[in-house]
Amino acid sequence: TSIMDEDSKPLLGSVRSPSEMFLNHLTVLFALSFRPFHVEPRNIVGDEVQERVSAEAAALSSRVHYYGRLTASSDRLLVPPDHVIPSPEDIYIYSPLGTAFKVHGGDSTPKNPSIVTIFAIWNTMMGTSILSMPWGIKQAGFTLGIIIIVLMGLLTLYCCYRVLKSTKSIPYVDTSDWEFPDVCKYYFGGFGKWSSLVFSLVSLIGAMVVYWVLMSNFLFNTGKFIYSECLFSPPFLICSAGLITGPVFDRWWSKTNTIPFYLIILLLPLLNFRSASFFARFTFLGTLSVVYLIFLVTYKAIRLGFHLDFHWFDSSVFFVPEFRSLFPQLTGVLTLAFFIHNCIITLMKNNRHQENNVRDLSLAYLLVGLTYLYVGVLIFAAFPSPPLSKECIEPNFLDNFPSSDILVFFARTCLLFQMTTVYPLLGYLVRVQLMGQLFGDHYPSFLHVFILNIFVVGAGVLMARFYPNIGSIIRYSGAICGLALVFVLPSLIHMISLQRRGELRWPSAVFHGFLVVLGVANLFGQFFM
């Protein structure tokens, strides 16, 4: 429009129709660029025939346009003063077609009911960590593993609650559009801002590395299933001269030597897309994959039965003790499994009933914890022991099933497709956070983005080639990012806010100090256990 500034490009909320999109676009651009202006109610468009705006309104539009020509949108010197701006309920937007539209509320983003918010949190947290739960329970012992899952769920829930409340602890400042890095910057300056950014990037890049390892695994097993079950099964006939022998197939279809490099051809171009909106349409596949995994676990447990022989402190031929000293490996995995602290404020902003935020967050964590317990306990209990020891449980429990298993093949195929669509989203988040802070632009140039993507893809290829252990990758990245964003920063911010208000007491200081020590111990435990 003639009264809009091209430099103003805010992020808009979702709308339901083209007319609402047009109104929302005009509203936000005009509010950010110059200030809205007032049109007399008798000139407002209603359900009847549209009327032209009055001469006064048109003149005011021309004056505002003139101000915009005289000065940049960032210079507030020649902007119309605040005292001439009407109240929000009397604000209207002037259309270049000569009509005026009333603004109904300042936020057009639809709000979600509690049930949608709860499952959104559950869906966000349900990631690759679920595949490592049986392995984590094996590392900690059956009884201690269950106890640790419950305790870590409670601790991370409390720390997430502290993150959610952190914006409310800042007086005399409008924090309605703040995120947790803004809170960290308020309390700790540049150090808080950059530390929260670094640890957030660690969690995102760690997840991308795990995805690369898993996609290599799933692609390898999918190809192996097709090769063994389709190419060499009747009624297919293959000329002996063109027959791919076993050694040749193994040489060119290797889980660690070739598959990680094949993925570069598919995924590196996708990372260079300027927008990731196309891939965001497939996020529902994550929910379907988790639901199918739960069905698969239930079916396998029914077929295999339970194999449990409780040995509390000693080990036998086929069974591990109930308590093991390797339990920090499970705590590291769980730190990332329960990690949602860097986006919980955003998720809760869309909750329709803000007074239920704490309840909905608690129910979401309960649902996540029950899902982890269900998958971990059932696979551990049903693992065929004898003849196999439970020490054979893999960091990715799907690896304990043969490639020829049709149900597991379907699970791997679904997860492969789902991760192929989620991986560019994770790369987009890395790019937005890093490039936005360094250059002030999410896409400064193709060269900048390409170099960043080469680094991220290279990290995934190297790990899939030389260290394809997703359990260890998850626990290390989880312990590192959890140290800052789960345990240390939320606890320190809460204690500082209490101290500034003169309300800090020694029980609170001791408890939150213990959380900081626990985060440090969780990190160091990954290197010594």
Side-chain angles (χ1 to χ4, degrees), residues 32 45 79 87 110 232 238 250 359 448 526:
L32 293 181
V45 173
V79 171
S87 58
F232 295 99
I238 300 178
D250 294 338
R359 183 203 65 184
H448 288 82
Q526 310 308 315

Side-chain angles (χ1 to χ4, degrees), residues 205-220:
I205 296 177
M208 295 182 73
V209 170
V210 172
Y211 270 46
W212 200 277
V213 174
L214 285 174
M215 286 186 292
S216 301
N217 183 309
F218 297 150
L219 181 59
F220 168 78

Side-chain angles (χ1 to χ4, degrees), residues 29-89:
L29 286 178
F30 194 57
L32 293 181
S33 301
F34 300 102
R35 297 296 174 83
F37 62 90
H38 186 252
V39 180
E40 298 177 4
R42 60 185 174 83
N43 297 303
I44 302 307
V45 173
D47 296 331
E48 301 176 357
V49 180
Q50 295 185 354
E51 302 179 27
R52 309 294 294 184
V53 296
S54 63
E56 292 80 6
L60 179 55
S61 172
S62 299
R63 287 196 295 270
V64 172
H65 186 213
Y66 178 67
Y67 285 127
R69 293 295 186 184
L70 291 178
T71 182
S73 60
S74 59
D75 188 354
R76 314 307 296 175
L77 181 62
L78 296 178
V79 171
D82 292 339
H83 68 271
V84 302
I85 299 177
S87 58
E89 61 270 15

Side-chain angles (χ1 to χ4, degrees), residues 84 120 156 161 170 206 239 248 277 301 334 370 388 455 478 487 513:
V84 302
T156 51
Y161 165 77
I170 302 176
C239 178
V248 174
S277 58
L334 290 172
L370 290 177
L388 298 177
F455 169 78
F487 295 105

Side-chain angles (χ1 to χ4, degrees), residues 290-353:
V290 173
V291 171
Y292 181 76
L293 278 178
I294 294 174
F295 160 77
L296 178 65
V297 167
T298 305
Y299 176 79
K300 292 296 183 181
I302 295 174
R303 288 291 304 273
L304 297 173
F306 288 168
H307 303 277
L308 292 173
D309 186 9
F310 293 99
H311 293 264
W312 290 89
F313 299 104
D314 60 324
S315 60
S316 62
V317 178
F318 294 109
F319 297 92
V320 297
E322 298 306 298
F323 300 89
R324 302 186 71 186
S325 60
L326 297 177
F327 68 89
Q329 297 184 9
L330 177 58
T331 62
V333 171
L334 290 172
T335 306
L336 191 62
F338 286 111
F339 181 71
I340 198 175
H341 301 63
N342 60 342
C343 61
I344 190 60
I345 296 177
T346 302
L347 287 174
M348 283 303 186
K349 281 180 181 178
N350 293 326
N351 200 12
R352 181 177 301 168
H353 302 287

